[in-house]
Amino acid sequence: MISGIQHFVFCRRQWALIHIEQQWEENYFTVDGELKHERTDNPEIHEKRKNTITVRAMPVKSQTLGITGKCDVVEFTKTEKECGIYIPQYEGNYTVAPIEYKRGKPKEDASDILQLLAEVYCLEEMLATQIDKGYLFYFETRRREEIHFSKELRQQMIEIFEEMHSYMDRGYTPKVRTSKKCKTCSLKDICLPELNKNKKVRQYIQGRVSE
């Protein structure tokens, strides 16, 4: 799942617990995010305003990367240039730009950007076009952030998905790496990161022997 890259960047163990072991728990942040996505997740809503066609909850897939998911919103904007895709129903060329909606504000890591880039990669493959930018909309700031994608970022995304496939094929759940992020994780009662602070049996025995 495309959305898994956000979990993976946040914490590889969290991703494995959700996507490999199929475990999940809700907290305030997950519920709040779901409520904010209700309108954008309605695939029945298609809008055309002036030169822009808006499609919501658009399914996307990349055979090359082996990923699937859906875009919150995809905007098709009419252009007079020889670029984008031709839409016969609307008789013109249209550029393509996905918009991902997020609760809160921009993150310190690149998880949101990488998820958006994965959607771009799928759209490029499906529509045989080049997409130069996308947008992240944050409910806390109430504005769009325009995102451009470098070659380095594209390569980073590909390598991350390769690592995710490797873990999935092996059924491997990484060990916990405790950090301040553990406090806000909805899976902390399943992951039990505090157990990582306990000494291993071998360390305990060696300590007693040295005493």
Side-chain angles (χ1 to χ4, degrees), residues 135-157:
Y135 299 91
L136 291 168
F137 178 89
Y138 290 93
F139 283 96
E140 187 170 320
T141 60
R142 305 298 299 178
R143 69 182 184 187
R144 289 184 181 185
E145 302 282 340
E146 186 173 289
I147 307 296
H148 293 263
F149 309 103
S150 64
K151 291 182 179 179
E152 292 76 16
L153 192 66
R154 286 176 179 264
Q155 183 59 36
Q156 181 186 357
M157 178 202 65

Side-chain angles (χ1 to χ4, degrees), residues 185-203:
C185 178
S186 64
L187 299 185
K188 63 181 179 181
D189 292 334
I190 296 174
C191 176
L192 300 175
E194 64 274 8
L195 294 183
N196 192 55
K197 299 177 182 178
N198 295 339
K199 287 185 177 180
K200 296 181 179 179
V201 173
R202 179 180 297 179
Q203 292 175 329

